[in-house]
Amino acid sequence: MIPLNIAGSDVVLRGGRDGVRDLFARRVNGCLVTRWEPTPEELKILNQGGSVELWCAGTRSHPPVALKVAEHEDKQS
């Protein structure tokens, strides 16, 4: 997955090591919202019935999370 710059971003989680990109986020109702785009290979897997995995670093606690689909920002009203 490719992290995208989300419209209205007001938080940047800095990457920089091991090829990790900066992650731009927008605060919405106490949540940080980020946008991701599947690579062509990932999209092919999804179109063939694949699924999305969520990985969280660490094992002591897990924050509440949600995954959803969003239209391209140019198509949102």
Side-chain angles (χ1 to χ4, degrees):
M1 292 283 187
I2 302 165
L4 301 176
N5 189 350
I6 190 167
S9 64
D10 56 359
V11 175
V12 181
L13 306 171
R14 296 289 177 198
R17 293 192 349 219
D18 301 323
V20 175
R21 298 179 184 200
D22 290 348
L23 181 58
F24 294 86
R26 177 178 64 223
R27 292 182 183 106
V28 178
N29 299 326
C31 297
L32 289 180
V33 179
T34 59
R35 290 185 74 95
W36 299 81
E37 179 178 76
T39 64
E41 181 179 310
E42 291 167 331
L43 188 56
K44 181 179 176 183
I45 292 168
L46 290 170
N47 285 331
Q48 293 174 345
S51 58
V52 175
E53 293 181 342
L54 172 67
W55 291 41
C56 291
T59 58
R60 295 186 186 261
S61 65
H62 191 296
V65 299
L67 295 174
K68 70 176 209 166
V69 175
E71 290 184 335
H72 190 279
E73 287 187 348
D74 290 344
K75 296 181 182 179
Q76 292 179 355
S77 51

